[in-house]
Amino acid sequence: MALGEPYDLRGKRVYVAGHRGMVGSAIVRRLAREDCTIVTATRSDLDLGDQNAVRTWFAANKPDAVFLAAAKVGGILANDSFPADFLYDNLMIEANIIEAAHRSAVEKLMFLGSSCIYPKFAPQPISEDSLLSGPLEPTNEWYAIAKIAGIKLCQAYRRQHGRDFISAMPTNLYGPGDNFDLASSHVLPALIRKAHEAKQSGAASIEIWGTGTPRREFLHVDDLADACVFLMKQYSQDEHINVGSGEDLPILELAQLVAEVVGFTGGITTNPDRPDGTPRKLMSGEKLREMGWRPRITLRQGIADAYRAFLATQPDA
Ligand code: GFB
């Protein structure tokens, strides 16, 4: 595969948009090993939904490279409950940053999306060319449409203006800095909290949403951050690229693994009144594997790490 000229991060000013989030903070940790200057802006310094503010900030701060990891994110229930926020906020953030990056001649930009961009019944493992080949999963189509628009913005600025803007699509992520709030979180942090609290209270069982049969692929956020830096240096193509672990498992098995790591020995019940979402979304990681990148953190190690991070946020731990 033609990879384009490697991009050298040395001596560059690198803006991480969304540095307080799980993904952005992992990218900042990973970039600390590169010889570059990390640039960030807090929410009170810069409202990413404000086009004028974003343009002014870029003109003043002149980043050479941008990781676009800022987004409104959430689990299946949050996505389903707040479609306007997930669509509007994400469209505004990505449109403002990508346009401002073009205006201030940013050398390289990476946009981060999600595996939910693919059709609900895409052939598995899902390759990059499945994009826009069928209807989306209804619980997260608003978020998916915003993320598809982000990919298209990068492609459009590349085609019309010759900008080196690329897109990476991570699978379901977890790790330190995750959201452990049961109403808005993704499944893995929710299961950690449920198992931990059940262990503390001596509850007989924990409940998982849906039937427990949907399969998901999980990647530790530190592996994602490593892939992002790798791709920033090595990848320069129009097409988005998948970033996953290459393995998936049913949610019920995930719950059993989390219970083991947390040390909860009670039962696990399912609640089919809650949505399952898409039945399976295992991505093909072939394109990235061919380039020579591999994840390093196993799911069991990663869950142990996420549990430690959760405990550190608990006042009584
Ligand atoms: O992680 P999750 O919320 O998101 O749910 P999606 C994954 C699966 O876990 C679903 C089940 O089948 C849920 O029904 N699940 C079981 C639970 N117990 C729980 C629980 O306590 N909490 C949660 N949250 N789920 C999201 C999208 O989809 O994935 C986003 O909505 C984004 O747009 C993200 O793409 C990566 O994998 O279904």
Side-chain angles (χ1 to χ4, degrees), residues 73-80 86 113-117 137 139-141 143-144 147 170-173 181-191 194 207-216 218 251-252 254-255 271 274-278 281:
V73 299
I76 191 165
L77 182 64
N79 269 263
D80 210 18
F86 276 84
S114 159
S115 59
C116 71
I117 58 162
E137 154 60 31
T139 54
N140 57 35
E141 65 178 321
Y143 182 72
K147 291 296 180 183
T171 188
N172 286 37
L173 301 168
D181 169 58
L182 292 181
S184 56
S185 74
H186 290 98
V187 61
L188 211 151
L191 293 177
K194 286 179 184 180
E207 183 193 272
I208 60 172
W209 294 353
T211 58
T213 59
R215 301 178 69 93
R216 293 289 185 275
F218 295 94
I251 294 300
L252 185 57
L254 175 74
N271 179 357
R274 294 283 193 173
D276 268 342
T278 195
K281 48 177 171 179

Side-chain angles (χ1 to χ4, degrees), residues 60-264:
N61 289 277
K62 301 186 178 47
D64 300 303
V66 175
F67 287 92
L68 206 179
K72 162 113 187 137
V73 299
I76 191 165
L77 182 64
N79 269 263
D80 210 18
S81 310
F82 305 107
D85 293 354
F86 276 84
L87 183 54
Y88 179 81
D89 291 359
N90 286 308
L91 284 173
M92 293 305 286
I93 291 168
E94 67 205 28
N96 289 341
I97 292 181
I98 290 169
E99 163 68 11
H102 159 59
R103 283 176 176 245
S104 62
V106 162
E107 294 166 358
K108 187 131 192 193
L109 175 145
M110 172 184 288
F111 170 68
L112 283 147
S114 159
S115 59
C116 71
I117 58 162
Y118 292 114
K120 176 167 184 157
F121 298 114
Q124 312 279 318
I126 312 173
S127 60
E128 284 83 357
D129 59 11
S130 283
L131 185 65
L132 294 173
S133 61
L136 297 164
E137 154 60 31
T139 54
N140 57 35
E141 65 178 321
W142 319 96
Y143 182 72
I145 292 282
K147 291 296 180 183
I148 293 169
I151 296 174
K152 292 295 165 191
L153 277 168
C154 290
Q155 291 175 345
Y157 281 84
R158 174 179 286 275
R159 286 183 195 190
Q160 188 178 333
H161 299 293
R163 292 292 173 215
D164 194 356
F165 293 176
I166 60 171
S167 301
M169 295 302 118
T171 188
N172 286 37
L173 301 168
Y174 69 96
D178 212 339
N179 167 19
F180 290 92
D181 169 58
L182 292 181
S184 56
S185 74
H186 290 98
V187 61
L188 211 151
L191 293 177
I192 288 177
R193 174 178 282 275
K194 286 179 184 180
H196 174 75
E197 289 178 353
K199 182 175 95 171
Q200 299 281 80
S201 70
S205 62
I206 57 168
E207 183 193 272
I208 60 172
W209 294 353
T211 58
T213 59
R215 301 178 69 93
R216 293 289 185 275
E217 175 190 9
F218 295 94
L219 183 71
H220 190 282
V221 72
D222 287 340
D223 272 335
L224 171 76
D226 190 60
C228 288
V229 171
F230 175 87
L231 287 167
M232 188 63 126
K233 292 178 181 173
Q234 302 292 341
Y235 188 73
S236 177
Q237 285 183 22
D238 186 82
E239 193 178 46
H240 62 282
I241 182 161
N242 291 342
V243 185
S245 62
E247 287 171 20
D248 68 353
L249 78 174
I251 294 300
L252 185 57
E253 265 180 42
L254 175 74
Q256 287 157 348
L257 184 57
V258 169
E260 253 178 70
V261 171
V262 169
F264 169 66

